[in-house]
């Protein structure tokens, strides 16, 4: 496992804890229907009334934007989870895109994740959302 993947793996626990405390169930590495791509983390209410995707990155800030913009049509909200030092830089560097697309930001510091910016509800494509739901039910 390369260094970035090991470092990203350390971010999953705090992010899962964050959403679990809010009443969400979580699944890691959820395959996007009809694609080779995966969502790093999917958090969803038990009644599936809200589905949130989280892209977890340790460093690759430009790549995460591309991933978010391609995956936003499947879910109700999108978050990026980054180590706190990178999260603040990401917010500053990409503030216009974050604002335009309603991307939420989670900062991970040690064993805790906290919300720096709340995600806005997206206009998902219902057919795509339904197909994603089929993979987690």
């Amino acid at each position: 496992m390369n260094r970035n993947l090991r470092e990203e793996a350390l971010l999953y626990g705090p992010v899962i804890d964050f959403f679990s405390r809010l009443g969400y169930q979580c699944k890691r590495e959820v395959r996007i229907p009809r694609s080779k791509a995966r969502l790093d983390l999917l958090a969803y209410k038990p009644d599936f009334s809200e589905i949130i995707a989280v892209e977890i990155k340790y460093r690759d800030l430009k790549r995460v934007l591309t991933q978010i913009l391609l995956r936003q049509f499947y879910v109700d909200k999108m978050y990026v989870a980054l180590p706190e030092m990178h999260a603040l830089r990401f917010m500053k560097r990409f503030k216009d895109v974050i604002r335009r697309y309603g991307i939420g930001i989670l900062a991970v510091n040690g064993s805790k994740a906290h919300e720096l910016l709340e995600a806005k509800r997206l206009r998902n494509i219902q057919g795509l959302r339904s197909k994603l739901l089929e993979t987690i039910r």
Side-chain angles (χ1 to χ4, degrees):
M1 184 184 285
N2 74 33
R3 183 176 175 210
N4 270 353
L5 291 177
R6 280 194 311 269
E7 290 168 336
E8 283 178 15
L10 297 174
L11 303 178
Y12 277 91
V15 174
I16 289 170
D17 289 346
F18 173 84
F19 283 107
S20 295
R21 282 193 308 271
L22 296 173
Y24 290 87
Q25 295 178 0
C26 297
K27 284 197 175 198
R28 293 174 66 160
E29 298 295 327
V30 176
R31 188 177 159 275
I32 296 173
R34 298 184 181 153
S35 170
K36 292 180 183 178
R38 295 182 181 273
L39 297 165
D40 289 341
L41 184 73
L42 202 64
Y44 55 92
K45 291 287 187 176
D47 64 358
F48 302 105
S49 60
E50 187 169 63
I51 303 172
I52 298 172
V54 183
E55 283 302 317
I56 297 175
K57 288 288 172 269
Y58 189 79
R59 281 195 183 99
D60 200 350
L61 302 183
K62 285 184 182 176
R63 184 169 178 230
V64 77
L65 273 183
T66 303
Q67 290 175 318
I68 288 170
L69 297 177
L70 292 173
R71 291 162 170 80
Q72 67 180 336
F73 303 109
Y74 291 89
V75 297
D76 300 312
K77 293 181 179 179
M78 281 291 313
Y79 277 88
V80 177
L82 300 154
E84 191 159 30
M85 63 183 169
H86 296 306
L88 296 169
R89 187 171 22 169
F90 180 81
M91 283 179 62
K92 189 175 186 178
R93 185 172 176 193
F94 299 109
K95 66 182 173 190
D96 293 336
V97 175
I98 291 167
R99 199 173 296 135
R100 184 178 315 130
Y101 292 100
I103 300 165
I105 309 294
L106 297 175
V108 179
N109 190 347
S111 62
K112 299 280 186 199
H114 62 278
E115 189 176 53
L116 291 179
L117 184 64
E118 184 177 359
K120 304 288 186 229
R121 191 158 187 97
L122 300 168
R123 286 178 265 185
N124 60 51
I125 298 172
Q126 193 58 40
L128 295 177
R129 185 184 190 277
S130 297
K131 294 221 179 293
L132 182 64
L133 273 175
E134 289 171 14
T135 67
I136 61 174
R137 283 191 171 158

